[in-house]
Amino acid sequence: QVQLVESGGGVVQPGRSLRLSCAASGFTFSSYAFHWVRQAPGKGLEWVAVISYDGKIQYYADSVKGRFTISRDSSTNTLNLQMNSLRVEDTAIYYCARDGKPGYGDWFDHWGQGTLVTVSS
Amino acid sequence: DIVMTQSPDSLAVSLGERATINCKSSQSLLYSSNNKNSLAWYQQKPGQPPKLLIYWASTRESGIPDRFSGSGSGTDFTLTISSLQAEDVAIYYCQQYYSFPLTFGGGTKVEIK
């Protein structure tokens, strides 16, 4: 069955960096695009970034553009999110999510359980 | 950016009764190439990630009970739970995938009356 397992969250000071990972299994990783979606405590959902099935195309939300980088490693079936220059407002649960069909800008058909990132001094 | 507005923010419905959630987009989500609306619905229970219910505005995801249905076109969409069950207590979100950035509605909390 499809499994997405995030890791790498934690407490970090403003201005510092953190790298999140998402291990995928149960399907052909290289056939799908992936997204990161975040949810601040008690708030709604915010799309963060997408990477195409082949890694050649990435899009970002304006709120993270220039600070976050999404990448993927098909040799390990892993999705990554490098987060630099972190801000207090980046505090959230970060979910990785699989794109629902071939392409990279669609619905999210499978989600991980999420990893909590807390940015605080 | 396409703004997604959900209403109401919350609603309380008796068990077995109908629940209706509305979602309005700031521009049409009708994709001319396939005549489908780029709109999805998700259910999120406390402490869990969101779960896909519906995509293309009205296509039910595999395994989703048929009491959940989606309708609408253009800029106005509706998620209907035909007969509310206790396990349907959750927050429901709509999401547009017509263009980047992908955006969500603010959510509607459904409770039992």
Side-chain angles (χ1 to χ4, degrees), chain A residues 39 47 105-108 111-112, chain B residues 42 44 49-50 55 95 97 102:
Chain A
Q39 186 169 36
W47 173 80
D106 305 292
W107 59 92
F108 315 112
W111 300 63
Chain B
Y42 302 87
Q44 187 177 32
Y55 55 95
Q95 175 237 335
Y97 49 95
L102 307 181

Side-chain angles (χ1 to χ4, degrees), chain B:
Chain B
D1 298 3
I2 297 177
V3 177
M4 305 299 291
T5 304
Q6 286 184 236
S7 63
D9 292 336
S10 64
L11 75 160
V13 176
S14 299
L15 288 172
E17 296 300 304
R18 179 185 301 259
T20 301
I21 299 168
N22 301 302
C23 176
K24 188 175 184 67
S25 58
S26 61
Q27 66 184 73
S28 177
L29 304 183
L30 185 61
Y31 205 42
S32 57
S33 64
N34 61 5
N35 202 37
K36 294 183 178 182
N37 290 276
S38 302
L39 190 282
W41 288 97
Y42 302 87
Q43 175 194 66
Q44 187 177 32
K45 297 181 180 180
Q48 296 184 20
K51 177 182 180 180
L52 175 67
L53 299 175
I54 297 216
Y55 55 95
W56 290 131
S58 61
T59 302
R60 202 178 301 114
E61 172 71 332
S62 175
I64 300 302
D66 62 6
R67 64 179 181 274
F68 292 93
S69 63
S71 62
S73 185
T75 62
D76 292 281
F77 302 90
T78 300
L79 175 70
T80 301
I81 310 173
S82 60
S83 176
L84 192 74
Q85 306 299 303
E87 61 265 32
D88 300 336
V89 169
I91 300 176
Y92 292 83
Y93 294 94
C94 59
Q95 175 237 335
Q96 68 80 19
Y97 49 95
Y98 184 87
S99 67
F100 286 105
L102 307 181
T103 50
F104 293 89
T108 295
K109 188 174 186 179
V110 174
E111 300 172 307
I112 304 295
K113 185 187 291 184

Side-chain angles (χ1 to χ4, degrees), chain A:
Chain A
Q1 73 282 18
V2 175
Q3 274 204 311
L4 299 171
V5 180
E6 301 93 338
S7 61
V11 180
V12 62
Q13 292 179 326
R16 303 298 290 265
S17 299
L18 205 60
R19 185 177 179 85
L20 305 183
S21 294
C22 173
S25 60
F27 62 98
T28 304
F29 180 79
S30 58
S31 295
Y32 290 87
F34 287 90
H35 304 257
W36 287 99
V37 178
R38 68 184 181 183
Q39 186 169 36
K43 302 298 184 182
L45 301 166
E46 179 188 16
W47 173 80
V48 172
V50 63
I51 188 165
S52 60
Y53 74 98
D54 57 3
K56 292 183 178 180
I57 297 170
Q58 303 95 36
Y59 286 108
Y60 298 91
D62 284 347
S63 57
V64 307
K65 199 175 297 182
R67 300 187 299 122
F68 290 11
T69 302
I70 188 171
S71 62
R72 61 190 296 157
D73 184 345
S74 291
S75 68
T76 58
N77 290 355
T78 301
L79 174 72
N80 300 301
L81 186 68
Q82 178 67 40
M83 304 187 295
N84 299 331
S85 303
L86 281 161
R87 304 168 179 169
V88 171
E89 55 265 34
D90 295 320
T91 295
I93 296 172
Y94 284 74
Y95 297 102
C96 68
R98 194 181 79 168
D99 198 273
K101 68 173 181 66
Y104 50 84
D106 305 292
W107 59 92
F108 315 112
D109 67 349
H110 287 90
W111 300 63
Q113 288 297 312
T115 187
L116 177 61
V117 173
T118 302
V119 185
S120 173
S121 54

